[in-house]
Amino acid sequence: LKKQSFAPLIQDFNGVFAHFTDVLTRFNAAARKIQAIVNGANAGKASLNIRQIEMINSRLTNLERAFIDPRGLPQRPMYRHVVFATSAHNVYGGVTFAGVRDGVFNYQSAAKARDSVAMAYWLKEVQISLTAIHYAMESAVLVLNLDGYS
């Protein structure tokens, strides 16, 4: 998915993606912290008690759930993962951010057909998909957050 394919669809593109950059930075920091603890435990350099092991295991188990949208992807409620899913236009290959990709593709197809109703619909779906991804990332950061870890 190239920036030029969907940047014109987003009114405040730079602002929206500044928020994504921020949440990805925080996600990366939280993931690195928890990974360092797991690596230390696996290498025998860190001693974890059962409560700490259960806490980390619970976070890792719940991490994937943060990316599940109960509403599903636009017009495909059976696909609920906001990051990994098949595209509506290629069911044989998984893609990242299928809700956004398919929405942009459908918007562009509607634009070529000069269908303003479909364009408005798919523009809204792209915006909803971006919001769902951002919400999932924020949720994932909260799941991985180890503040108060001891």
Side-chain angles (χ1 to χ4, degrees):
L1 187 60
K2 294 183 176 24
K3 176 182 173 182
Q4 52 273 39
S5 67
F6 68 94
L9 303 180
I10 311 301
Q11 286 182 348
D12 182 18
F13 180 83
N14 291 332
V16 168
F17 281 88
H19 290 292
F20 274 104
T21 300
D22 173 60
V23 73
L24 288 170
T25 300
R26 290 183 286 115
F27 176 82
N28 194 22
R32 285 181 190 274
K33 185 174 181 179
I34 206 164
Q35 187 64 55
I37 293 167
V38 170
N39 289 347
N42 287 340
K45 296 178 182 176
S47 176
L48 301 177
N49 64 41
I50 191 69
R51 183 183 65 80
Q52 292 167 321
I53 293 169
E54 287 174 351
M55 181 181 68
I56 289 172
N57 188 51
S58 175
R59 280 173 167 68
L60 295 175
T61 301
N62 287 317
L63 178 61
E64 190 68 22
R65 293 179 186 151
F67 295 99
I68 302 300
D69 184 348
R71 297 172 301 120
L73 297 180
Q75 295 187 345
R76 297 185 312 143
M78 64 291 236
Y79 296 101
R80 301 181 321 146
H81 202 287
V82 298
V83 178
F84 303 113
T86 59
S87 169
H89 306 288
N90 178 4
V91 296
Y92 294 108
V95 297
T96 53
F97 309 114
V100 174
R101 287 176 180 262
D102 291 345
V104 169
F105 180 88
N106 292 334
Y107 176 88
Q108 291 170 336
S109 295
K112 287 178 187 173
R114 300 177 193 257
D115 183 347
S116 61
V117 173
M119 286 172 62
Y121 173 82
W122 286 111
L123 175 61
K124 190 68 166 174
E125 289 300 327
V126 168
Q127 293 168 340
I128 290 169
S129 293
L130 286 170
T131 300
I133 293 165
H134 187 257
Y135 180 83
M137 291 299 303
E138 291 287 356
S139 298
V141 169
L142 292 173
V143 167
L144 290 179
N145 188 354
L146 289 174
D147 287 348
Y149 170 80
S150 57

